[in-house]
Amino acid sequence: MQLTSTAMAAGLAFLSFFLLMLLPSSTEAHNITKILAEFPEFSTFNHYLSKTHLADEINSRETITVCAVDNAGMADLLSKNLSIYALKNVLSFHVLLDYFGAKKLHQITNGTALAATMFQATGRAPGSSGFVNITDLKGGKVGFSAVDNGGIEATFDKSLKEIPYNISVIQISKILSSPDAEAPTPGPSQMNITGIMSAHGCKVFAETLLASPAQKTFDDNLDGGLTIFCPGDDAMKNFLPKFKNLTVDGKQAVLEYHGVPIYQSFSMLKSNNGPINTLATDGANKYDFVIQNDGPEVTLKTKIVTAKITSTLIDEQPLAIFALDKVLMPKELFKAALAPTPAPAPAPAADAPKPSKHHKSPPAPPSADSPADGPGTDSADQTADSNGAGRFNGERFVSVCLSLLFAAILLL
Ligand SMILES: *[C@@H]1O[C@H](CO)[C@@H](O)[C@H](O)[C@H]1NC(C)=O
Ligand SMILES: *[C@@H]1O[C@H](CO)[C@@H](O)[C@H](O)[C@H]1NC(C)=O
Ligand SMILES: *[C@@H]1O[C@H](CO)[C@@H](O)[C@H](O)[C@H]1NC(C)=O
Ligand SMILES: *[C@@H]1O[C@H](CO)[C@@H](O)[C@H](O)[C@H]1NC(C)=O
Ligand SMILES: *[C@@H]1O[C@H](CO)[C@@H](O)[C@H](O)[C@H]1NC(C)=O
Ligand SMILES: *[C@@H]1O[C@H](CO)[C@@H](O)[C@H](O)[C@H]1NC(C)=O
Ligand SMILES: *[C@@H]1O[C@H](CO)[C@@H](O)[C@H](O)[C@H]1NC(C)=O
């Protein structure tokens, strides 16, 4: 009796551990680039989905329909010589935010349906111009048109790939015309990044940036791709006393530390864990931080703080701006805030809340700055502690599972 229940517990524990290990690989449900790569006649469409980074946005969504046109149809579109930003709008008008497989297209209730598109989701489509009208026609045909245009612009040709109800990729006969999607879209260098931040809860950071030479560094990187992590107003206000204490160079560096000189959409951040360089990186002065997923969230870890992304202000190739709950403090400037990290102690006692935030600690070992979430500053402590506790319990769970399994093996 004793033996079987122990073995069963161990088995169950091992199974749950095993399932936990499997979870991360199932997050990426589909890959539109890969799906279309099987169809050479859609290579132009596929190329521009990647070039505009729409592919990433499509992959990150569930329940979606991509209306592809063949290379001849794309040649018509490209002859209009649209900017890459307008081209992205036009292609996003061909991505429906609902699942339409061949069967559903031929069974549309009352013969007609309106589908919201990814262009509608950008918020730049005035009125109903971001909707596509799908009509079930006689003779087994299905018509597509921009709602504003009326009539039938294109017809359903065939289904290329259906993964119900995640993604459907269908061929339609030609590009749907949409004057609003084709309208000139401001290029990135005309974008007012401090204006965007000010309007979305990062006013203090924006104003601090405007008063610094760091602003030019950000602007200079706009065209080539830029990702900005701006601390929210509360976080930035709390940080200002520390900021004022920095040297002129230090002030510029900490601001530039919040910019990354490549475009990273939220889904790219989610799939790229690891260290990343910043606008402040300069040879030996690494000024990097670590991007790490935490469930559905994305966290940024410096040796001093762990911040998390709280919202997306803009995410359009080549510019992404995300708001953070904390100011990123680089170890290059805030080493003093680093306290030595206690050696990993497996006893639950080590998990107890830290009594004092600025306790004078025993002499630091030489490698004091290796673990990312050691006791740090006021703002760092909260997240570091709760994260630490979460991870510790996870480790304990795994080690309990393993020892149970080991015990079971010994008993057998
Ligand atoms: C659809 O997507 C969900 C969530 O990503 C996934 O769990 C499921 O396996 C997918 N279905 C198919 C048939 O791929
Ligand atoms: C999607 O597939 C393409 C081509 O097979 C591959 O290069 C790319 O890395 C894949 N993307 C993801 C996010 O898996
Ligand atoms: C296409 O547009 C670019 C920039 O908008 C312009 O320089 C070029 O002359 C245009 N080409 C044609 C064929 O219209
Ligand atoms: C379909 O048409 C009927 C009768 O005209 C109407 O009562 C019903 O609400 C319509 N359904 C949809 C989904 O539009
Ligand atoms: C959708 O298209 C059909 C066929 O052209 C038309 O009868 C219907 O009124 C259109 N619906 C909307 C909302 O434009
Ligand atoms: C950017 O936006 C800010 C705040 O809305 C405004 O004060 C500033 O004049 C704008 N800059 C430009 C170049 O338009
Ligand atoms: C500013 O620097 C001084 C001297 O290094 C230090 O005593 C003080 O605590 C610092 N203030 C803040 C807010 O970091």
Side-chain angles (χ1 to χ4, degrees):
M1 256 347 241
Q2 185 89 17
L3 188 140
T4 20
S5 68
T6 312
M8 261 174 65
L12 279 176
F14 184 71
L15 195 66
S16 13
F17 169 65
F18 191 66
L19 287 176
L20 273 175
M21 298 292 290
L22 280 180
L23 266 181
S25 61
S26 64
T27 50
E28 195 74 27
H30 43 249
N31 179 341
I32 183 67
T33 312
K34 201 169 166 184
I35 292 172
L36 282 171
E38 289 171 32
F39 305 93
E41 68 273 32
F42 295 92
S43 58
T44 313
F45 186 84
N46 201 8
H47 171 77
Y48 281 98
L49 285 189
S50 294
K51 190 163 178 190
T52 56
H53 290 277
L54 266 179
D56 297 315
E57 292 172 35
I58 292 168
N59 293 345
S60 68
R61 282 183 183 258
E62 285 167 34
T63 317
I64 206 154
T65 302
V66 179
C67 303
V69 296
D70 64 10
N71 294 344
M74 279 303 286
D76 288 344
L77 174 63
L78 294 174
S79 71
K80 293 186 177 179
N81 197 21
L82 301 175
S83 74
I84 190 77
Y85 311 106
L87 203 54
K88 178 174 185 176
N89 285 343
V90 172
L91 293 180
S92 64
F93 187 57
H94 291 73
V95 182
L96 314 179
L97 304 178
D98 197 355
Y99 182 87
F100 289 98
K103 189 172 169 208
K104 185 168 167 189
L105 284 172
H106 288 106
Q107 290 179 350
I108 288 172
T109 321
N110 289 358
T112 169
L114 290 186
T117 66
M118 225 176 218
F119 178 51
Q120 179 72 24
T122 63
R124 270 194 313 271
S128 56
S129 65
F131 286 87
V132 168
N133 182 354
I134 308 174
T135 310
D136 198 3
L137 302 170
K138 67 174 188 228
K141 288 195 163 140
V142 180
F144 288 79
S145 67
V147 163
D148 288 355
N149 294 346
I152 303 295
E153 290 184 83
T155 49
F156 168 71
D157 283 335
K158 62 174 181 282
S159 169
L160 302 177
K161 177 92 177 181
E162 298 191 9
I163 307 176
Y165 290 87
N166 289 3
I167 186 168
S168 164
V169 185
I170 61 175
Q171 177 183 7
I172 62 170
S173 59
K174 60 192 275 281
I175 286 283
L176 307 173
S177 70
S178 163
D180 290 308
E182 290 170 24
T185 307
S189 51
Q190 294 145 266
M191 281 185 181
N192 182 345
I193 53 174
T194 50
I196 296 171
M197 292 191 272
S198 293
H200 295 92
C202 302
K203 195 165 196 280
V204 182
F205 182 80
E207 280 165 359
T208 314
L209 188 60
L210 274 173
S212 160
Q215 195 220 341
K216 187 171 182 314
T217 315
F218 279 77
D219 281 343
D220 288 348
N221 277 277
L222 257 176
D223 280 320
L226 179 64
T227 305
I228 305 172
F229 300 98
C230 61
D233 283 342
D234 286 346
M236 195 62 195
K237 272 181 207 151
N238 289 336
F239 178 71
L240 281 180
K242 289 196 182 80
F243 181 78
K244 296 209 170 102
N245 234 10
L246 295 169
T247 63
V248 171
D249 285 348
K251 283 179 178 145
Q252 182 172 348
V254 81
L255 292 172
E256 289 175 355
Y257 190 56
H258 288 77
V260 168
I262 46 171
Y263 166 74
Q264 294 274 287
S265 68
F266 191 74
S267 58
M268 290 157 98
L269 291 173
K270 282 213 65 123
S271 57
N272 284 338
N273 284 346
I276 192 162
N277 281 341
T278 67
L279 295 173
T281 302
D282 179 15
N285 288 321
K286 285 180 75 182
Y287 282 104
D288 59 354
F289 55 78
V290 170
I291 295 176
Q292 190 173 308
N293 291 335
D294 190 0
E297 290 176 341
V298 171
T299 60
L300 312 181
K301 295 186 163 193
T302 82
K303 304 284 188 200
I304 318 280
V305 300
T306 297
K308 80 170 184 238
I309 293 180
T310 52
S311 66
T312 302
L313 309 191
I314 184 171
D315 186 350
E316 270 169 44
Q317 194 255 351
L319 173 68
I321 307 181
F322 304 100
L324 296 181
D325 66 339
K326 302 223 177 76
V327 173
L328 296 173
M329 295 198 282
K331 70 168 191 301
E332 285 81 357
L333 292 175
F334 296 95
K335 246 196 206 116
L338 270 176
T341 318
D351 206 22
K354 292 175 181 75
S356 133
K357 292 184 189 283
H358 289 293
H359 52 287
K360 289 277 169 258
S361 344
S367 62
D369 64 352
S370 46
D373 50 1
T377 61
D378 294 347
S379 59
D381 266 354
Q382 252 185 323
T383 316
D385 282 355
S386 56
N387 279 358
R391 189 165 321 115
F392 183 77
N393 287 341
E395 275 167 15
R396 206 158 44 145
F397 173 65
V398 168
S399 78
V400 167
C401 295
L402 287 179
S403 35
L404 277 174
L405 180 74
F406 196 60
I409 290 170
L410 281 184
L411 283 169
L412 293 172

